[in-house]
Amino acid sequence: MPSGTYAPDLAGRHVVIPGGSGGVGEGAVRAYLTAGADVVVPTRSQERADEFRRLLGGAATGRLHLVVHDYTTFAGAEELAATMEDRLGSIDDVVAPIGGWWAGKRLWEISESDWQDAFVRLATTHMAVARAALPRMKADGAYSLIVGASASTPVLGSGLVSMEQAALLMMQQVLATELAGQKRVFALVLGPVRTRTADGSGADWITADQVGSVAVAASASTISGREVRLGNQAELVQALALLNDTEPRPVGPVVAVSTLDPKQGRRDDLLALLAELAPQIRAEAGCIRYSVHSPRGHDDGPLLVIQMFASAEAFTAHSSAIAAQVPRLSALLETPPAPPAVFGPVPSDGNAAKESLSA
Ligand SMILES: NC(=O)c1ccc[n+]([C@@H]2O[C@H](COP(=O)([O-])OP(=O)(O)OC[C@H]3O[C@@H](n4cnc5c(N)ncnc54)[C@H](OP(=O)(O)O)[C@@H]3O)[C@@H](O)[C@H]2O)c1
């Protein structure tokens, strides 16, 4: 069985884990503390805070900041994020294992209070935390939404859980698209998890500590935000290999291709903005090519931007450098800019001069 205890050094990072007092959250709290991070766990009651501190025992070092705070509203989450930024200086990573299980009724049998408890309150809390934290995070941090596999498989009598989890899964996709590669949002999609309240011994379940190790690996990696499936031990091994970058890393130049569809009447403004940014991009370390193309014979068509950088690292640095310009770009586009498709060269006939764009 894989240990799943890879713990990179996250000393100096500030992580907030709303829902950290829960069964799955506990594993994330332990993993980030082990990795050296400062961990803020907001909880809605003093009893829960005391109980959680007792439970952690010696693991509750001075880097654990347990705060009694209601983070379930937009205002409450905003206050939490602002206070954390004031007191600790930054919010670097977020893990959101918010909310537990609900069962017992088919969808047409639920009451309005079931709907509020199992769907509205939880979805609102996730939204509140994301909108407060994401604008404050930097490009190297990771926002990990904890989602159950019930997001894509209906569970008899627990339909509200499936619906709410499906909304979270879509939230990850929307955020990843809207952030256009500038910040990293993950959805860790869990099967059943062994926690302090669910034994599951003998089954192929992953443990809460292993969920934590995956969240830590996501924070420590430079990999773009994505859905990571953690349904069993085999998926855990794959996830850690991907996030810990133990798979061979492609070397050499990368080519990034983006299609930009201008809003009606804004094509000239878009061309002007791309021209304005060109000198800055071309001056970046590792930039080999930055070119803008228009379809021949279609003066109103989409624009194709082709960029070439000396390495994946140079392209990641470029993505961070250009992040501040994304709102200006988005304002001129029909749809928010999608992350560019990124390609590496494939050797063909050995003709180095002709098979590489950089030759
Ligand atoms: N356990 C599993 O096997 C499993 C499997 C797949 C997916 N998941 C997902 O993982 C997440 C966490 O599950 P868990 O088993 O750790 O749950 P849990 O033990 O019940 O903990 C959930 C935590 O969420 C916080 N919370 C905030 N608003 C809440 C609300 N309206 N209702 C309930 N809790 C609220 C609570 O923290 P405070 O009271 O301290 O604020 C609580 O400690 C859930 O989204 C769940 O769907 C769990």
Side-chain angles (χ1 to χ4, degrees), residues 18-25 42-45 48 69 71-72 96-101 117 121-122 125-126 146-150 161 164-165 168 190-198 205:
S21 63
V24 172
T43 172
R44 295 164 300 160
S45 84
R48 200 132 164 92
H69 182 85
Y71 52 93
T72 63
I98 301 166
W101 192 245
D117 288 350
R121 272 195 198 106
L122 291 177
T125 305
H126 274 285
I146 303 296
V147 180
S150 62
V161 177
E164 192 262 336
Q165 299 283 297
L168 294 185
L190 316 180
V193 177
R194 275 172 69 184
T195 65
R196 59 179 183 256
T197 52
W205 296 7

Side-chain angles (χ1 to χ4, degrees), residues 222-342:
T222 52
I223 201 168
S224 56
R226 64 194 63 201
E227 184 178 324
V228 177
R229 301 206 72 91
L230 292 172
N232 51 42
Q233 292 291 331
E235 289 187 349
L236 172 78
V237 171
Q238 280 173 12
L240 286 172
L242 175 82
L243 293 165
N244 293 339
D245 202 13
T246 49
E247 289 177 339
R249 172 189 277 258
V251 290
V254 297
V255 176
V257 181
S258 326
T259 306
L260 303 178
D261 193 6
K263 276 186 181 150
Q264 188 81 19
R266 305 302 304 273
R267 193 169 193 271
D268 287 347
D269 295 329
L270 180 61
L271 281 166
L273 174 59
L274 295 174
E276 177 196 320
L277 298 177
Q280 171 193 330
I281 296 172
R282 290 187 182 126
E284 284 174 23
C287 177
I288 299 170
R289 295 260 187 279
Y290 167 81
S291 57
V292 180
H293 306 256
S294 177
R296 285 189 185 276
H298 293 284
D299 288 347
D300 57 349
L303 300 172
L304 181 71
V305 178
I306 303 181
Q307 304 175 84
M308 185 172 204
F309 279 79
S311 65
E313 290 74 18
F315 183 66
T316 303
H318 156 72
S319 301
S320 301
I322 208 72
Q325 303 297 337
V326 170
R328 290 178 71 199
L329 197 58
S330 300
L332 302 173
L333 299 178
E334 265 316 319
T335 52
V342 179

